Amino acid sequence: MCGIIGYTGYREVSAVLIDGLKKLEYRGYDSAGVALQGSEKLVVTKTAGSVDGLKEMLINLADSHLAGIGHTRWATHGRPTEVNAHPHSSCCEDIALIHNGIIENHSSLKKWLSEEAGHVFRSDTDTEVLAHLIEEYYENDLLLAVRKAAAKVKGSYALVVLSAKEPGRMVCARQDSPLIIGLGERENFVASDIPALLAYTKDTIILEDGEFASITKNDVQLYNQEGNIIHKDVFKITWDVESAEKGGYEHFMLKEIMEQPVAVRETLRQRLDMETGEVTLDELDFNQEELANLEKIYILACGTAYHAGLVGKFILEKLAGIPVEVDVASEFRYRDPIINKNQLAIVISQSGETADTLAALRLVKSKGVKVLAITNVVGSSVSREADQVLYTWAGLEIAVASTKAYLSQLAALYLLSLYFADKRSGLANNLAHELAAGLVALPGQLKLLLNDDNLQEIKRYCEKLAKWDRAFFVGRNLDFPVAMEGALKLKEISYIHAEAYAAGELKHGPLALIEEGVPVIAIATQKHILEKTLSNVQEVKARGGDVFMITKKAFAESFKKGEACFYLPDSAEILMPVLSAVVTQLIAYYTAVIRGSSVDKPRNLAKSVTVE
Ligand code: AGP
């Protein structure tokens, strides 16, 4: 949840670090710091504020540094204060390090280091233990000291370490927390995520769990746990610097909402024949017999990815006829679920680094269940630990509130359902053809949906909604998971307390919350239950609820003139969640902008939750 960066080379070190940290602030932004390495000593500068504040503090610092490390924090252990900010140093201040992750056995190590080895601790963090541990083992070989320290540690870490005695050298270690090395000419980089590197290089090496690296400006050496040199492929990033910037939009979130037609098209590309609607998923290799014997699918995920899974359940059951259970990963991993080999686990994760989802993945794998990952980040932990991966090609998603990744997860689940249906029973039924044809039209329909008139219409509704501190989303059947996602989006960026209910559930309690003017967003896109949903909406209106309908153009005659209705383009009903979700995203976005909240970096949240 923190952003880390390291650099050694010919450029102005502090400038590279600050630039990289700015691009990593979406990972955590409650405090920041850098350590700059001169020919003799390390200079550590930290602040309990933003990277901009840190930049101010570095202005007068002469720049004759050989290497440096920088960190932007999202506190887990120790409040966001200057002393708890990274980098953390050893007693003699000749070792400094930055860390992303959690050291689970930090208390016992701290006790040993302070009581038996005489180390003096400055902060309340788990991380500082590492600086003293490395100092304890240091005998003029930083790599060896880091390896020895890592062997003592339990937990997750992406680590970059400097020693004042080894000018120009950075040593890194990775366990359960992302770390990428960027390769350059007479310079090299290391960072927790791609945006920090893109301005300088597209050639990267992804460090895996248990691996170490020794980096100087002219050399990158990789080592395994045993300290043997290993070789790894260079991975070329296809994203450009621009995609890391806002592309002219006020917020990354709006840019990413507007990128959804492309994100869905790219995710369908080479997998859906836009002529015939035929689906080929070459990256998957499920055999007929395996799928025929499949008794059950578990979908495991968190947050928005979990909501995509709820839509996936409907589609997979309807098209492939396989029973699907969708679980919140943080609950699944401690629920002792009934697992056996005739099941498949689909884990969904935009970042591919969410700790609870990763743990759920490892749990089912340990019981011999095959795991298929749907993720957006190549080389992420989930992608490397799953048996098979279906990547969403949504591109880099920076805003904490997930939008284009969610829509591309839905697209991936539609493809997967057609693939399983075809493998299990052939695509005889009309629904499969309707879906395939609908998918072909989807990118174009999304583009249409995101036209200016629609944006203005939604913005007008949000002027009213923004005045409230609570709101409700209701829907039935396939509309209910979208109502849940809409409520999550509004909650996480506008801080309005929004709740989603299955419309049929209202009269069993939630209806008590409806009073004059309370905003209720009702989603009705499914013909076979339209009347049921509309009668629930009447119950709300009867208690003074102020209803905003999201429905299909085809259902217009069911509504009176003047009723607040947003009409979606007509598409296959099974595909409507993709279109209705976009409207709920825009409602959250414009309401948050009107309420002045920090849209891309909402309080208390982070883009990738790498601790449980
Ligand atoms: C969604 O807007 C949130 N950022 C959050 O709920 C997110 O979906 C959840 O943390 C899962 O993240 P993942 O898809 O990267 O695993």
Side-chain angles (χ1 to χ4, degrees):
M1 296 203 302
C2 308
I4 63 178
I5 181 164
Y7 175 70
T8 175
Y10 60 87
R11 298 172 199 263
E12 186 191 340
V13 175
S14 58
V16 174
L17 298 180
I18 291 295
D19 175 49
L21 289 178
K22 284 298 294 171
K23 297 219 174 79
L24 292 170
E25 270 190 311
Y26 67 89
R27 298 176 63 86
Y29 34 82
D30 59 37
S31 51
V34 296
L36 298 169
Q37 184 191 57
S39 51
E40 266 128 46
K41 65 183 176 69
L42 303 175
V43 180
V44 173
T45 310
K46 324 199 255 187
T47 173
S50 71
V51 174
D52 287 336
L54 180 65
K55 184 176 180 183
E56 292 300 308
M57 299 165 75
L58 298 174
I59 284 177
N60 305 326
L61 218 63
D63 184 66
S64 54
H65 302 107
L66 304 166
I69 53 178
H71 185 277
T72 178
R73 185 172 187 235
W74 189 71
T76 57
H77 290 67
R79 296 182 58 68
T81 63
E82 185 185 329
V83 72
N84 287 339
H86 297 209
H88 286 285
S89 306
S90 57
C91 292
C92 312
E93 298 186 349
D94 53 4
I95 287 172
L97 59 81
I98 49 178
H99 166 231
N100 175 28
I102 285 194
I103 307 302
E104 291 172 23
N105 60 341
H106 65 98
S107 313
S108 55
L109 288 172
K110 189 170 182 173
K111 192 164 180 316
W112 166 59
L113 285 162
S114 49
E115 292 171 10
E116 291 169 42
H119 288 260
V120 179
F121 284 75
R122 303 177 188 87
S123 77
D124 319 321
T125 66
D126 54 328
T127 300
E128 189 186 350
V129 157
L130 295 167
H132 295 281
L133 206 51
I134 293 166
E135 178 176 42
E136 192 60 24
Y137 293 124
Y138 189 74
E139 290 157 4
N140 300 321
D141 178 347
L142 187 57
L143 174 67
L144 183 57
V146 171
R147 285 186 41 238
K148 284 183 176 171
K152 278 266 183 201
V153 162
K154 214 168 138 295
S156 61
Y157 51 83
L159 202 53
V160 190
V161 191
L162 292 178
S163 159
K165 298 189 181 117
E166 300 183 36
R169 186 188 194 192
M170 300 187 286
V171 167
C172 314
R174 178 217 158 113
Q175 182 64 47
D176 275 345
S177 191
L179 204 56
I180 301 161
I181 297 168
L183 307 172
E185 289 301 316
R186 295 182 301 110
E187 60 180 357
N188 287 306
F189 307 76
V190 60
S192 45
D193 210 337
I194 291 164
L197 306 173
L198 271 178
Y200 308 100
T201 178
K202 291 189 184 265
D203 296 328
T204 65
I205 290 176
I206 296 164
L207 218 55
E208 315 238 10
D209 288 349
E211 293 178 350
F212 300 84
S214 167
I215 302 174
T216 63
K217 68 179 180 186
N218 298 319
D219 185 39
V220 172
Q221 281 295 348
L222 308 169
Y223 303 83
N224 61 17
Q225 213 125 24
E226 291 66 43
N228 306 320
I229 289 185
I230 54 175
H231 299 284
K232 296 174 74 75
D233 299 340
V234 173
F235 183 78
K236 202 158 202 60
I237 304 291
T238 52
W239 288 331
D240 56 29
V241 175
E242 174 61 22
S243 72
E245 308 297 341
K246 292 193 184 120
Y249 291 97
E250 194 189 345
H251 297 98
F252 280 115
M253 184 178 177
L254 184 59
K255 174 177 174 265
E256 289 156 7
I257 289 174
M258 303 308 279
E259 285 174 345
Q260 295 186 108
V262 175
V264 168
R265 188 194 66 224
E266 290 308 306
T267 302
L268 296 174
R269 184 186 296 287
Q270 285 156 328
R271 295 159 167 175
L272 177 77
D273 181 317
M274 293 307 205
E275 311 304 316
T276 64
E278 204 187 322
V279 169
T280 22
L281 297 179
D282 295 337
E283 59 265 70
L284 304 185
D285 69 351
F286 289 96
N287 62 51
Q288 219 91 10
E289 194 219 341
E290 186 179 18
L291 290 178
N293 300 337
L294 205 49
E295 288 167 7
K296 178 178 183 175
I297 292 177
Y298 276 110
I299 297 182
L300 309 170
C302 301
T304 287
Y306 166 74
H307 294 150
L310 291 172
V311 174
K313 171 183 171 67
F314 277 89
I315 315 164
L316 283 160
E317 290 186 345
K318 220 176 188 66
L319 275 149
I322 308 168
V324 176
E325 183 178 315
V326 190
D327 267 288
V328 172
S330 54
E331 282 300 310
F332 180 85
R333 59 184 295 192
Y334 295 114
R335 182 169 64 76
D336 198 12
I338 301 164
I339 300 176
N340 69 53
K341 290 192 174 47
N342 298 327
Q343 298 169 338
L344 168 71
I346 299 176
V347 296
I348 308 177
S349 174
Q350 184 286 127
S351 62
E353 300 294 350
T354 300
D356 286 316
T357 307
L358 208 46
L361 180 160
R362 290 173 181 156
L363 171 63
V364 289
K365 269 200 92 166
S366 69
K367 311 262 184 184
V369 170
K370 194 172 236 182
V371 176
L372 164 64
I374 295 178
T375 184
N376 194 46
V377 179
V378 178
S380 60
S381 304
V382 161
S383 70
R384 283 178 294 100
E385 297 192 30
D387 302 294
Q388 308 205 27
V389 185
L390 187 58
Y391 284 111
T392 54
W393 300 123
L396 178 59
E397 188 174 69
I398 288 182
V400 168
S402 182
T403 53
K404 62 176 182 175
Y406 167 73
L407 239 63
S408 55
Q409 286 160 1
L410 294 184
L413 287 161
Y414 286 116
L415 289 171
L416 195 62
S417 309
L418 287 168
Y419 170 86
F420 282 170
D422 183 24
K423 288 249 176 187
R424 281 169 59 94
S425 52
L427 291 178
N429 63 36
N430 295 344
L431 184 58
H433 295 300
E434 195 195 350
L435 172 55
L439 280 173
V440 170
L442 205 50
Q445 286 186 312
L446 283 168
K447 207 159 179 35
L448 269 182
L449 178 60
L450 290 162
N451 68 44
D452 257 2
D453 295 350
N454 285 344
L455 299 188
Q456 295 317 316
E457 182 185 340
I458 294 167
K459 207 188 250 181
R460 280 192 297 279
Y461 169 66
C462 296
E463 297 290 349
K464 195 167 56 167
L465 177 61
K467 298 190 179 70
W468 282 82
D469 62 1
R470 56 199 155 92
F472 300 95
F473 286 74
V474 298
R476 279 178 174 254
N477 196 266
L478 258 177
D479 294 326
F480 178 40
V482 181
M484 292 171 76
E485 176 55 12
L488 176 63
K489 285 277 120 16
L490 191 63
K491 262 188 281 234
E492 66 179 316
I493 61 171
S494 77
Y495 314 145
I496 289 177
H497 184 171
E499 289 297 344
Y501 293 103
E505 266 301 286
L506 288 172
K507 51 190 172 297
H508 301 289
L511 206 55
L513 299 170
I514 304 299
E515 53 191 357
E516 199 54 40
V518 165
V520 176
I521 292 136
I523 307 171
T525 68
Q526 307 294 305
K527 184 142 187 53
H528 68 291
I529 34 126
L530 179 63
E531 291 317 314
K532 305 291 179 206
T533 306
L534 294 187
S535 67
N536 298 134
V537 167
Q538 285 315 317
E539 291 157 6
V540 167
K541 285 183 175 171
R543 275 90 181 162
D546 175 20
V547 176
F548 180 83
M549 288 300 308
I550 300 174
T551 187
K552 287 176 74 167
K553 245 194 219 91
F555 301 164
E557 84 270 350
S558 304
F559 301 95
K560 298 194 209 61
K561 204 156 176 23
E563 276 193 79
C565 285
F566 184 94
Y567 293 110
L568 297 163
D570 290 327
S571 174
E573 284 190 6
I574 200 165
L575 275 171
M576 292 311 291
V578 177
L579 300 171
S580 54
V582 172
V583 179
T584 67
Q585 295 165 351
L586 289 164
I587 288 174
Y589 173 74
Y590 286 121
T591 306
V593 170
I594 294 162
R595 287 166 66 99
S597 8
S598 146
V599 171
D600 285 337
K601 295 185 282 187
R603 68 188 184 203
N604 304 343
L605 298 180
K607 181 65 182 169
S608 169
V609 183
T610 53
V611 294
E612 70 169 296

